[in-house]
Amino acid sequence: DEVGVEASVAALLDEIHPAYCLVPLGLLHPDHQGTGRAARAALRRRPDCAALVYRDLPYAFMRDHPDLEADGIRRLGAEGIKLVEFPVAAPLTSAAKRDAVRCYQTQLRLLGRRLWKKTLAVDSERLWRMDWS
């Protein structure tokens, strides 16, 4: 449950004190949405950790849901979170990114040819820093 995930994230943050924490925007997949909510709740009370939200790929490129990313950004705004663009160091080559994506075998069958191509583009990653002030 989300309360348990939030407690686990909070405990881990308190144990390792990371400088950054990546959180899914939570565009479509319920696991991404729940994890995002739980992590945001834990991070809100830890201002020493830069909380970064990332674009969920491949969901950001789904034709039948063209407004997912904008809706996700609006949802965080409704939670009082301002998003500030955060530069992303893309992989050096598309081959490096392809190899990384191939680690997610259970997800690969969900990627049609168009989503596969867009997800593998070296400039498809997008991050924002979350600001609660």
Side-chain angles (χ1 to χ4, degrees):
D1 73 344
E2 257 177 63
V3 173
V5 173
E6 179 184 342
S8 295
V9 170
L12 187 59
L13 290 170
D14 291 342
E15 178 184 334
I16 64 175
H17 303 284
Y20 296 94
C21 184
L22 294 170
V23 178
L25 186 54
L27 298 182
L28 187 64
H29 197 287
D31 291 346
H32 292 203
Q33 293 169 341
T35 299
R37 283 189 300 269
R40 288 191 304 273
L43 286 161
R44 188 179 291 264
R45 296 182 302 278
R46 289 162 180 83
D48 293 343
C49 181
L52 304 175
V53 66
Y54 63 88
R55 168 194 267 175
D56 301 40
L57 298 176
Y59 306 112
F61 302 129
M62 298 182 82
R63 282 188 197 157
D64 50 341
H65 301 283
D67 299 323
L68 277 178
E69 188 172 302
D71 290 345
I73 290 169
R74 278 191 291 276
R75 188 173 53 252
L76 268 60
E79 291 179 23
I81 300 170
K82 179 182 174 187
L83 296 180
V84 179
E85 291 274 348
F86 191 87
V88 177
L92 297 176
T93 67
S94 59
K97 185 160 183 189
R98 183 192 63 238
D99 291 346
V101 170
R102 284 187 174 154
C103 291
Y104 295 90
Q105 289 296 318
T106 59
Q107 302 298 308
L108 291 179
R109 68 177 167 269
L110 302 175
L111 296 173
R113 183 172 176 78
R114 185 185 72 82
L115 289 178
W116 175 255
K117 186 176 179 179
K118 285 190 162 208
T119 298
L120 286 178
V122 294
D123 63 349
S124 64
E125 304 297 330
R126 191 161 181 205
L127 292 176
W128 300 267
R129 183 179 51 78
M130 291 187 277
D131 183 359
W132 285 279
S133 54

